[in-house]
């Protein structure tokens, strides 16, 4: 990093299972963040078109449940194709607002659309897709929804803001995946998630202290009332109200909160990231520099 950067960590509810409506909302929120001076805008895990909550996605384990089949078909239909026109629209939103835009999406490959992936898309201010990461291992009920990622995007990239990269939810518990980012020099670490538990905040503090990087961690926020009335698995939501309470936060390289955590509401968290803080904290510990022993330990990443 060469200069102070203002970032926006978005905790917003998608227009649940409506890709076009969710992209409209994303465009509006991105414009708001850009007008507030943000140069990096980050949305939560699978924001487009929604995170598949365990409250209903567990029904996918039913061998021949017609409701589950219909719900999966709906999620697949509303997922975002890469490449595709909706991916291009994200690029235009980044370009029109002159920001780096990081979006969590349910992704389908237009040539092989039978599998959905949990992906992070990084669009540059020129509109290009600069980095594309697929979650390596879906967690728990998610294995009924998403395929395994292939290692693409498992690195930080050089930008005019600094070196940016990240992981999705519980793949942040994979030590080698984290180290792949550290070795590529990450300075702004994206940690999008659907984990709204109190323990997740301890994870964010640890990652910030281990990486000695800034951590921007948007969390998903959902209410049962946001689901369409004809959602095939609506009965699984029962009497629930908030089914994803958030917990978005921005942390410094010492693990101290710069903003958040934010719970039980939509909002945009902002923080000014000062590059000197990286040097101050890495003087004692640099996980891929002076506190690394590449003569003893090495990591190989197999990526397409």
């Amino acid at each position: 990093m060469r200069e102070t950067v203002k970032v926006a960590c978005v905790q917003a509810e998608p227009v649940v299972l409506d890709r076009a409506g969710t992209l409209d909302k994303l465009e509006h929120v991105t414009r708001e963040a850009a007008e507030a001076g943000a140069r990096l805008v980050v949305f939560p895990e699978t924001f487009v078109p929604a995170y598949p909550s365990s409250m209903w996605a567990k029904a996918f384990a039913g061998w021949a449940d017609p409701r589950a089949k219909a719900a999966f078909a709906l999620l697949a239909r509303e997922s975002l194709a890469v490449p595709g026109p909706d991916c291009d629209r994200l690029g235009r939103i980044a370009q029109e607002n002159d920001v780096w835009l990081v979006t969590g999406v349910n992704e389908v490959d237009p040539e092989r659309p039978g599998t959905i992936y949990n992906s992070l898309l990084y669009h540059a201010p020129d509109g290009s897709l600069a980095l594309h990461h697929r979650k390596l291992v879906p967690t728990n009920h998610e294995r009924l929804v998403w395929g395994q990622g292939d290692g693409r995007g498992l690195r930080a990239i050089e930008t005019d803001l600094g070196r940016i990269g990240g992981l999705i939810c519980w793949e942040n518990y994979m030590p080698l995946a984290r180290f792949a980012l550290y070795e590529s020099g990450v300075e702004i670490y994206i940690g999008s998630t659907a984990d709204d538990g109190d323990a997740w905040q301890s994870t964010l503090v640890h990652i910030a202290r281990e990486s000695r990087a800034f951590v921007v961690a948007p969390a998903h926020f959902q209410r049962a009332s946001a689901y369409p009335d004809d959602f095939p698995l609506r009965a699984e939501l029962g009497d629930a109200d908030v089914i994803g309470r958030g917990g978005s936060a921005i942390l410094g390289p010492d693990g101290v909160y710069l903003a958040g955590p934010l719970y039980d509401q939509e909002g945009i968290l902002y923080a000014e990231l000062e590059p000197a803080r990286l040097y101050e904290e890495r003087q004692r510990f640099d996980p891929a520099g002076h506190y690394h022993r590449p003569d003893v330990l090495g990591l190989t990443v197999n990526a397409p």
Side-chain angles (χ1 to χ4, degrees):
M1 294 179 66
R2 294 178 293 277
E3 60 185 36
T4 300
V5 174
K6 187 172 185 177
V7 300
C9 179
V10 176
Q11 182 164 295
E13 186 174 47
V15 182
V16 174
L17 297 170
D18 179 341
R19 181 179 66 250
T22 300
L23 290 173
D24 288 344
K25 183 169 185 176
L26 179 147
E27 183 172 14
H28 172 78
V29 174
T30 301
R31 185 181 306 114
E32 178 183 346
E35 290 174 351
R39 298 177 62 196
L40 169 67
V41 184
V42 187
F43 284 83
E45 178 178 9
T46 58
F47 180 69
V48 184
Y51 175 78
S53 168
S54 61
M55 292 188 69
W56 56 266
K58 63 187 179 184
F60 290 164
W63 185 252
D65 186 337
R67 302 173 308 147
K69 290 184 177 183
F72 185 85
L74 173 60
L75 179 63
R77 186 192 75 196
E78 296 299 317
S79 293
L80 190 145
V82 182
D86 295 304
C87 186
D88 293 341
R89 181 180 179 187
L90 289 174
R92 289 194 301 273
I93 293 170
Q95 186 174 34
E96 290 166 1
N97 291 282
D98 193 29
V99 297
W100 276 89
L101 177 63
V102 183
T103 312
V105 304
N106 289 274
E107 178 210 342
V108 292
D109 182 335
E111 294 185 2
R112 291 170 292 277
T115 297
I116 306 173
Y117 299 96
N118 178 339
S119 299
L120 274 182
L121 306 179
Y122 297 67
H123 283 89
D126 65 2
S128 64
L129 180 59
L131 189 65
H132 175 191
H133 173 62
R134 287 175 172 171
K135 188 174 185 178
L136 295 173
V137 181
T139 304
N140 197 39
H141 71 282
E142 296 173 356
R143 300 186 188 195
L144 301 169
V145 183
W146 297 315
Q148 290 193 323
D150 51 13
R152 68 183 65 191
L154 196 60
R155 67 186 190 282
I157 57 170
E158 184 70 51
T159 79
D160 56 336
L161 310 183
R163 297 192 67 83
I164 302 175
L167 298 172
I168 304 167
C169 205
W170 276 29
E171 67 175 353
N172 282 286
Y173 289 129
M174 301 172 70
L176 298 184
R178 294 199 307 274
F179 190 72
L181 296 182
Y182 303 164
E183 250 191 345
S184 58
V186 67
E187 295 171 315
I188 303 175
Y189 186 116
I190 308 300
S192 64
T193 192
D195 188 337
D196 61 0
D198 293 338
W200 179 252
Q201 299 303 320
S202 299
T203 295
L204 295 180
V205 172
H206 171 80
I207 290 172
R209 290 177 58 82
E210 181 180 71
S211 67
R212 289 309 204 255
F214 294 101
V215 175
V216 181
H220 95 116
F221 175 72
Q222 277 189 40
R223 295 165 296 180
S225 59
Y227 279 77
D229 291 338
D230 60 353
F231 175 54
L233 291 171
R234 188 168 182 79
E236 301 297 322
L237 299 176
D239 297 325
D241 179 19
V242 174
I243 60 177
R245 68 184 184 125
S248 300
I250 305 172
L251 295 88
D254 55 355
V256 170
Y257 284 90
L258 304 177
L262 176 66
Y263 289 106
D264 297 321
Q265 61 182 301
E266 296 185 277
I268 307 175
L269 300 176
Y270 296 99
E272 302 270 355
L273 311 186
E274 300 178 2
R277 295 293 296 120
L278 297 172
Y279 291 104
E280 290 170 358
E281 295 305 321
R282 292 179 178 184
Q283 179 262 327
R284 289 181 296 171
F285 182 81
D286 182 354
H290 63 76
Y291 220 97
H292 179 36
R293 286 292 304 274
D295 57 322
V296 178
L297 303 168
L299 172 65
T300 299
V301 177
N302 297 318

